[in-house]
Every structure is written in structure tokens, then in C-alpha cells.
Amino acid sequence: MLRALDLAARGPVTGPNPRVGCVLLAPGSAAPGTGRDDEPRTVLAEGWHRGAGTAHAEADALRHAREAGVDVAGATAVVTLEPCNHTGRTGPCSRALVEAGVREVVHAVADPNPVASGGAQHLRERDVTVRSGFRAAEGEELLRTWLTAVRRGTPFVTLKTATTLDGFVAAQDGSSRWITGAAARAHAHSVRTTVDALLVGTGTVAADDPSLTARSADGMLADHQPMRVVLGYRPVPGTARLRGPGGELVELRTHDVREALLTLFERGVRHLLVEGGPVVTTAFLRAGHVDELHSYVAPVLLGSGRRAVLDLGVTTLGDALTFTTTSTRRLGDDVLVVARPDHQDVGRAARPGTTPTA
Amino acid sequence: MLRALDLAARGPVTGPNPRVGCVLLAPGSAAPGTGRDDEPRTVLAEGWHRGAGTAHAEADALRHAREAGVDVAGATAVVTLEPCNHTGRTGPCSRALVEAGVREVVHAVADPNPVASGGAQHLRERDVTVRSGFRAAEGEELLRTWLTAVRRGTPFVTLKTATTLDGFVAAQDGSSRWITGAAARAHAHSVRTTVDALLVGTGTVAADDPSLTARSADGMLADHQPMRVVLGYRPVPGTARLRGPGGELVELRTHDVREALLTLFERGVRHLLVEGGPVVTTAFLRAGHVDELHSYVAPVLLGSGRRAVLDLGVTTLGDALTFTTTSTRRLGDDVLVVARPDHQDVGRAARPGTTPTA
């Protein structure tokens, strides 16, 4: 299974589909989870999923076996995710495994996708032994953002802020370039390559005219460019940098965070990076739609200016939005704090999840 | 010299005197800095300074030699700081070295103390070879806070803040216990044991009734208790915790930061930890009297409340107070950023260094 997880990790972190790996073991090999870890295993073939529109991991492994002339009848398939049971751009993997004569399937994580699940049941009905939940923790971790999104029906949201030590994102006159240093900005660009979409509000478009592309330090565009999403009613000007090279531009004419997230999920977005200004940041926090915080903090004091977060409806410390830190990382003079909210519904009590008018 | 620096480091980090170490080498030993590092050295005696009122490092080493019946005539003294030349509670070390027959003195850092300096000159006039500046960087680093204070005539100031990620020290209703977690608070207490004095304003005394002691996690008082300084005109109430066990209580009835620092320096304070609220914090920043920032940041968002830093007179990012990070450290869910101001006179231009009325 660890090998299957390694294979899965070769797949793209972005896109609507999960990363999945598959190892086909020869009949008689000790299957994972059977307590026979020291017995030899014979690998017949391996495969992994390379993103939407390409073969699923199981199909990829079966094809490799066929190409190599290897018979997989009686084999055990070790898969990181429960084999799918629906026909999308590719056929259902559960059927392909049965047709190939696979007799046993071991998977780490059950498929949370309502359209694709049922694979285990299909297999069992055809006398294939199915064992699930093996190395589940590792499987969950690998697919964390995707699983969160698919189970809930809205994208996993990473909220990025870049502030001074006293919590400002710009000085009184609006100047904000650059509060954080080059290392922090480079890191933020690398994060952009790992998400499906970036989101800002119309206020940020008007104030900063950002291009919202993922770039290297020398300005080169990365291979993967996330969708660029603008939240709000003001149209993006024809001359905006957002209309230049980069990911698809999507304007969502709403201030409703949940509505925006549902729309983006339907469009295949599983991981959204919110890089908005204070209004959008506050709206996502109040709506309780933040799964992870990326807070870049620079050793700078302004004393006054534009605050990173506006009114959250919190008047006493006991009602504060609290997070658990998952990592901290020094980036030049700055520090990045990555943290997860202590409660998913944090802030929800405060007010309906709409964006205050900027 | 590295051995002498190790010896020096055994001394107390607090108090009006510097930490100094001394190694006496037998005649003929290769002195440091002469490029004969691979030749054997014979150590006759060692000594270090244990704090005000005790023997200086040179006197300590000479005494050890005497007690061991070792003749130091013709010896080389390796000292981390230029031997003093004045009679305080102990006699001048320069004279003691001459009288003991020491023929050569190598020191790392020149004595910046106007009353104590002149040791090298005294020695040279008595035909002692003096070489200075050897391992100067290490010597400076060991004595950094003390040297800064003595060269300038005001204490080295460490400014501590403990804030949310959005820069607040308390919620709207004033609740502030606790924004940072247990690990950060324990660290802050350990810092208290390394300074001569703590300072808060009368506002903090009124709001929090702090004891300002250095305590372990179980509430035990540490051996060293810093002086407790309250800045401002309101007298400390007779029932205040500040009047309980702990360091000496000093009330400075002024709002002038520089005047306060001069008074504290005269009273032997070389390293001051400012733990005030926003008013005092802002006054020290505006006065340009911050040498080091200890910023504890908790993964908490409040959106509103009491800001850590008040108006600094900064309206554009180019005038922001910027710092260079010397270290970052994760403490539980919190992060500590230690940073030094990019310019010592940062903020001085803004306004005279007086505390706004609280």
C-alpha cells in the first residue's frame, strides 16, 4: 500500500480527480494487512492516475500488465482509493478489475464521491474479496484537500494573508508593496501551482491590478496556472492584467461565499486559494469557509493602515477564531504560519456568509 | 580566547557588570592570534567574574594561581574584555596584572566604560605587551546587550509583544487571558530571568494587576527576579500584586522614555524588558528606544479589539518600522519572532520620545 501511495503521489495535486495509485500482486502474494508482511510479494504491474481525462490508476496498471503480456487472473489489486463504479470519460474500474480476473482488492480510503462510489459492492457481488481502510490515515492525508471538498460539495479553502506584525496589509495611503519579502512571495507563488483556483474580490482587482498567475522568481509562468476567480459585481476592466496570460478568468457576480463555492465546485475546483483583501478575507472567515490559513507575517510595524481582517462580530476573547498550528516556516525575515481552524463552523454564528459591501 | 569566552559565559547575564573570562598562560606558550595555534599552551590558572561585588575575572585567575602556588611572572593573560583601570569595589585589574608580573595581555573587546577604560594604556606604559580585538566578534556577541547599554548610557531594550495574527492584544471587552499558549508564556518567563528590569505602564498595572515576577510553570519564583518598573504618574496601589514577592519595585513618575532609561541605567539596569500595553509599547517605538523585538504571535483572529501598537506617525509603507529577523521559534501553536530594528533611530523622526497620556 505504501508503494501504491507513492505511485498516487506522482499524480497532479490539482484538478477534479483524486490522486490514486494501484499495485497488482501475483496470486499467492501476501496481501497487505494480512500480517504476512515478511513474505515475498510479486508485483505484476503498477499504475497511477495522471489527471482528468486519462486512465484511472487501476486501468493504467491493467494496461501495463497487458502490454507486458502478464496474466493478472487471480491477482490482488492494492489501491489507495476504492475503485470507482461509474462510467465517465473512462469506464468503471470495478468492472475492469473483475473482467481481468482480479480476485482480491485492498484499498485505503472509501470513495466519497456519490456518483463514483459503489465499487466495493460491485466487486463483492462478483465474489471479489474486498478489504478497505488499510493505511487509511496515510490515504486520507494524501487526499486531504480532495476528500474534504468531495465529502462536503464545496472546495477546500486555503486563506492566505500577508501582514505586518501588527496586523496590517497596507499603510494608510494604501501602499502595500511589499510588506513581505522575496522568499515569502516566492513561496506564495509555489502554493498557487498546487491549487485549482485563486480568488480575489473586485476591490483587489481595482486596487492592485494583479495578474494572479503562478510565476517563478524571474517572472516565468509555471506550467500549471490556476483558474482566476473574481468575486463581486464590478466587471474586470478590459485592460486588467487578469485578462493577460494565465489561468481561465471567472467572474462570480455574487457576494455570497457559499454560492460562489458551490459554483466553483461544479466547475471542478477542489482546492481554492483565497488571496483577497480584507473584505473577502473577512467574508470567508465569517462564513466559516476556511479550511486552512496561510499567514505570512513580516517583521514590520505600521501602527495604522488597512487591517488584514475586518469586524468578525467578536467582542470577547472566548469567541475569537482560534486555530491549531500545523507548521511554521521562516522565509527570509518573514514567517509563515500554517494553521487549521479549531472548528469548521467557526465564525458561522456571527452572521450569514455574505460579503459586506466593499 | 575561546576558553576565556566559555569562562566568561559562566557569569550572570544580569547585573551592571559585564561577563568576563580570563586564562593565564605560562611564559613561552603560544599566545592567541600569533599564528601558533598548533603549539602547546600551558594554562597556569583561569578565572571569571561572578557579578557585581565579586572579584573581576583577572583577579579571580590571579587568586587561583596564588592558591595553587603557581608563579605567573612572565605569563600571558588572555581576557575577553580589556582589563579595567579603576578602583570600584575591587582594585584595578591592570595594576594587579602588572604587580603579578604578567608580561602580555590579549583581549577581545576594548572596555567601553568611560570610568573603567584606560587599562590597556596603563599596561603598555608598564611595558606589558597588549594586543586587542582578537576574537572580537565572539566577544561582542557575548556582551552584546551590555556593550550596547554601556556605549550608549541607556539600557538595552527588549520589547515584548504577544498578539493575535491580526495584531490585537485584547478583545473589545478587554479580555486578553490568554491569547498566547502555555509554551509561549513559559518562554516569556524564562526571558524575564535574563534581564535586569521589567517595565510596564500604570495602565497595565490598573488593567491586569500583574505581579511581574519570573516564575516557572508551577508558579515557583525563579532565583533571579528582575527589578519591576512602572512608568507613569498614577501610584501603584498598596494592594497591587506588584507589592508582593519579587524584584524591587521602582515607580518612575514620568512619561519621557529617555529620562526613564537614563534613570534606570544609573541604577545599574543594562537590559530592560518592556512588557507594557499599547501605550508604552508605542512610546518606546516612537522614541526609537527598542533594540530587540520579541513578538509572540498566536494563531487567533479577533477582527477588532485593542491593537498592539498605536499610531506611529507612519502613513506610507516606506516609513514603516522594519526589522531584521534574528530567529523564529515555534512555541506550541504560537510563534516567537525575534528581530532587531533596521535602524536604531527608527521612529525617532516621528515625534519626541514621550509617552502619550494613557
Side-chain angles (χ1 to χ4, degrees):
Chain A
M1 184 62 82
L2 295 177
R3 173 64 184 162
L5 287 163
D6 278 349
L7 292 168
R10 296 185 187 179
V13 294
T14 56
N17 287 2
R19 294 186 286 168
V20 185
C22 176
V23 176
L24 295 172
L25 297 177
S29 288
T34 53
R36 295 160 56 202
D37 282 351
D38 46 355
E39 294 180 28
R41 287 171 183 154
T42 306
V43 172
L44 299 177
E46 300 177 336
W48 72 93
H49 180 54
R50 290 164 182 77
T54 70
H56 286 190
E58 301 89 327
D60 189 50
L62 291 172
R63 183 173 57 81
H64 285 153
R66 264 197 315 280
E67 287 174 0
V70 173
D71 182 9
V72 300
T76 293
V78 181
V79 199
T80 56
L81 185 70
E82 177 186 348
C84 77
N85 198 38
H86 91 308
T87 306
R89 279 180 279 193
T90 60
C93 292
S94 51
R95 195 167 65 197
L97 291 169
V98 169
E99 287 172 359
V102 167
R103 298 311 307 152
E104 183 178 23
V105 170
V106 181
H107 61 85
V109 177
D111 195 330
N113 196 335
V115 252
S117 67
Q121 193 185 339
H122 177 94
L123 290 163
R124 285 201 182 96
E125 286 166 3
R126 277 142 196 89
D127 290 332
V128 176
T129 305
V130 178
R131 285 183 297 118
S132 69
F134 182 70
R135 295 276 183 190
E138 290 91 335
E140 291 268 339
E141 184 55 32
L142 179 80
L143 295 177
R144 186 170 62 91
T145 56
W146 182 86
L147 284 169
T148 302
V150 171
R151 285 172 182 157
R152 194 175 56 197
T154 56
F156 183 96
V157 173
T158 296
L159 176 69
K160 174 205 156 187
T161 60
T163 69
T164 64
L165 273 174
D166 51 349
F168 294 102
V169 294
Q172 272 177 32
D173 67 354
S175 51
S176 64
R177 292 197 178 168
W178 296 104
I179 285 175
T180 51
R185 298 203 304 277
H187 185 272
H189 272 277
S190 76
V191 172
R192 286 182 176 178
T193 66
T194 69
V195 299
D196 299 312
L198 299 180
L199 182 145
V200 298
T202 53
T204 295
V205 175
D208 298 344
D209 189 17
S211 60
L212 296 185
T213 50
R215 299 183 297 278
S216 60
D218 59 3
M220 293 285 288
L221 289 184
D223 287 343
H224 168 73
Q225 290 296 328
M227 177 191 290
R228 300 177 286 186
V229 183
V230 178
L231 192 68
Y233 294 105
R234 278 180 283 172
V236 173
T239 56
R241 288 208 184 95
L242 271 178
R243 299 200 178 276
E248 180 189 4
L249 175 62
V250 172
E251 297 177 71
L252 295 178
R253 300 195 194 285
T254 178
H255 282 165
D256 188 291
V257 167
R258 182 161 177 81
E259 181 191 327
L261 289 172
L262 290 168
T263 304
L264 291 173
F265 187 84
E266 275 171 33
R267 299 193 60 151
V269 173
R270 299 292 173 266
H271 191 173
L272 174 69
L273 177 62
V274 175
E275 297 201 46
V279 172
V280 165
T281 294
T282 305
F284 273 80
L285 287 166
R286 290 194 78 134
H289 278 297
V290 172
D291 294 299
E292 185 175 71
L293 185 65
H294 282 202
S295 178
Y296 299 88
V297 182
V300 174
L301 294 172
L302 275 167
S304 65
R306 290 189 78 203
R307 289 192 285 123
V309 180
L310 307 179
D311 185 24
L312 294 169
V314 173
T315 58
T316 191
L317 189 57
D319 293 339
L321 309 199
T322 62
F323 296 78
T324 296
T325 300
T326 47
S327 68
T328 66
R329 179 169 174 179
R330 183 170 167 184
L331 294 162
D333 281 322
D334 308 323
V335 64
L336 166 63
V337 178
V338 176
R340 298 182 191 176
D342 287 341
H343 303 287
Q344 277 293 339
D345 59 349
V346 104
R348 278 227 174 117
R351 218 196 268 174
T354 53
T355 313
T357 307
Chain B
M1 184 61 83
L2 294 177
R3 173 66 184 160
L5 286 164
D6 278 349
L7 292 168
R10 296 185 186 179
V13 294
T14 55
N17 287 2
R19 292 187 288 168
V20 184
C22 175
V23 176
L24 294 172
L25 298 176
S29 289
T34 52
R36 296 158 57 201
D37 282 349
D38 47 354
E39 294 182 29
R41 286 170 184 154
T42 306
V43 172
L44 299 178
E46 300 177 337
W48 72 93
H49 180 52
R50 289 164 182 79
T54 70
H56 286 191
E58 301 90 327
D60 189 49
L62 291 172
R63 184 173 59 82
H64 285 153
R66 260 197 319 279
E67 287 174 359
V70 172
D71 182 9
V72 301
T76 293
V78 181
V79 199
T80 56
L81 185 70
E82 178 186 349
C84 78
N85 197 37
H86 91 306
T87 306
R89 277 180 278 192
T90 60
C93 292
S94 53
R95 195 166 66 195
L97 292 169
V98 169
E99 286 171 1
V102 167
R103 298 313 305 154
E104 184 178 22
V105 171
V106 182
H107 62 85
V109 177
D111 194 329
N113 194 334
V115 253
S117 69
Q121 193 185 340
H122 177 94
L123 290 163
R124 286 202 182 94
E125 286 167 3
R126 279 143 194 90
D127 290 333
V128 176
T129 304
V130 178
R131 284 182 297 119
S132 69
F134 180 70
R135 296 276 185 189
E138 288 91 335
E140 291 267 339
E141 184 55 30
L142 178 79
L143 295 177
R144 186 170 63 90
T145 57
W146 183 85
L147 284 169
T148 303
V150 171
R151 283 171 182 156
R152 194 174 57 196
T154 57
F156 183 96
V157 174
T158 296
L159 176 69
K160 175 205 155 187
T161 60
T163 68
T164 64
L165 273 173
D166 51 350
F168 294 102
V169 293
Q172 273 178 32
D173 67 355
S175 52
S176 63
R177 291 192 177 173
W178 296 103
I179 284 176
T180 51
R185 298 202 304 277
H187 185 273
H189 272 278
S190 75
V191 172
R192 287 182 176 178
T193 66
T194 68
V195 300
D196 299 313
L198 299 180
L199 183 145
V200 299
T202 53
T204 295
V205 175
D208 297 345
D209 189 18
S211 61
L212 296 184
T213 51
R215 298 182 298 279
S216 60
D218 59 3
M220 294 284 289
L221 290 183
D223 288 342
H224 169 74
Q225 290 296 328
M227 177 191 289
R228 299 178 285 185
V229 183
V230 178
L231 192 68
Y233 293 106
R234 277 181 282 171
V236 172
T239 56
R241 287 208 186 94
L242 271 178
R243 298 200 178 276
E248 180 189 4
L249 174 63
V250 173
E251 297 177 70
L252 295 178
R253 300 196 193 287
T254 178
H255 282 165
D256 188 291
V257 167
R258 183 161 175 79
E259 180 190 327
L261 290 172
L262 290 169
T263 303
L264 291 174
F265 187 84
E266 275 171 34
R267 298 192 60 152
V269 174
R270 300 293 173 265
H271 190 172
L272 174 68
L273 177 61
V274 174
E275 297 201 44
V279 173
V280 164
T281 294
T282 306
F284 272 81
L285 288 166
R286 290 194 78 131
H289 278 296
V290 173
D291 295 299
E292 186 175 70
L293 185 66
H294 282 203
S295 180
Y296 299 88
V297 183
V300 173
L301 294 172
L302 274 167
S304 65
R306 291 189 76 201
R307 289 192 284 121
V309 180
L310 306 178
D311 185 23
L312 294 169
V314 173
T315 57
T316 190
L317 189 58
D319 293 339
L321 309 199
T322 62
F323 295 77
T324 296
T325 300
T326 47
S327 68
T328 65
R329 179 170 173 178
R330 182 169 168 185
L331 295 161
D333 281 323
D334 308 323
V335 65
L336 166 63
V337 178
V338 177
R340 299 181 191 176
D342 287 342
H343 304 288
Q344 276 295 337
D345 60 347
V346 102
R348 278 229 175 116
R351 216 195 268 175
T354 53
T355 313
T357 307

